[in-house]
Amino acid sequence: MPCGEPLPKSNVSDGLATYRHGPFRASAAYDRPVALFQLEYASSCPVEESWRRLTDWPRHAAVVPLTRVTVRTPPPTGEGTVFVARSGMGPVAFDDPMEVVIWRPPLDGSAGRCRLVKRGTFVTGWAEIEVRPVTGGGSRVLWQEDLNVRWLPRFLDRPLGWAGRWMFGRAVEGLLRPASPGAA
């Protein structure tokens, strides 16, 4: 099976969604709405290729509608790398600046882990990407996201989690596919 072909039944782990309010409240530090969720996918790509595709920050713009990504620090990516995803159209747009705070790429077929901290004024939280090798070839991707949209009422936490899982699920699937010929 060529690298990038979907493996049978990737798991969008809706059952693993957790919300930081009510019985799942993890810390009094979270006084604003926060949705914590995770996604899990299987890829036919080796761990190094899945890692490369998921951490190609400008490529995220190709899979997230109405978004462009600008890396603000010189290559290569590592701890301290900063990039900004600008989403929206015209005056109805916002910047989502992110900083890489943990960067452990896979070496010799081992697992890789990256943690991003969202440093914006509108969207805050963090994302963690982990890519592990699978016995027999391929890789397993775990994407965890702690998403906070400021000024969003708490009763919208669950819909925010659903929307986040849907949007990031589509993004991960798109990133794991090979780039189209001629695509940036």
Side-chain angles (χ1 to χ4, degrees):
M1 176 179 299
C3 177
E5 292 297 314
L7 290 178
K9 191 64 177 148
S10 290
N11 182 18
V12 178
S13 304
D14 286 340
L16 297 174
T18 307
Y19 299 91
R20 289 280 179 101
H21 301 288
F24 299 108
R25 190 175 179 99
S27 166
Y30 284 96
D31 291 329
R32 295 177 306 273
V34 175
L36 176 65
F37 58 90
Q38 74 180 26
L39 308 165
E40 188 174 350
Y41 286 89
S43 172
S44 58
C45 294
V47 67
E48 292 85 358
E49 180 61 14
S50 290
W51 174 266
R52 186 192 65 74
R53 291 178 183 188
L54 291 167
T55 60
D56 179 354
W57 310 126
R59 190 167 180 230
H60 284 234
V63 297
V64 179
L66 303 175
T67 299
R68 72 176 185 268
V69 177
T70 306
V71 180
R72 296 231 169 125
T73 49
T77 295
E79 290 181 14
T81 294
V82 174
F83 59 96
V84 178
R86 180 154 182 87
S87 298
M89 290 178 57
V92 186
F94 65 92
D95 287 339
D96 184 7
M98 291 170 258
E99 179 181 355
V100 176
V101 296
I102 296 174
W103 180 258
R104 294 188 190 124
L107 299 172
D108 301 320
S110 67
R113 181 170 166 246
C114 174
R115 184 177 178 98
L116 309 169
V117 174
K118 295 175 173 283
R119 304 225 185 260
T121 57
F122 183 63
V123 177
T124 61
W126 53 264
E128 202 161 284
I129 304 164
E130 186 174 309
V131 183
R132 297 187 162 280
V134 175
T135 305
S139 55
R140 181 152 309 277
V141 172
L142 180 64
W143 183 295
Q144 298 178 75
E145 186 96 15
D146 186 9
L147 186 59
N148 173 28
V149 177
R150 293 194 181 174
W151 309 292
L152 192 69
R154 286 185 181 197
F155 73 88
L156 294 175
D157 280 3
R158 287 191 188 272
L160 175 63
W162 298 329
R165 275 192 306 282
W166 178 80
M167 184 184 76
F168 287 103
R170 287 180 50 99
V172 170
E173 287 174 352
L175 290 166
L176 290 174
R177 276 190 230 109
S180 302

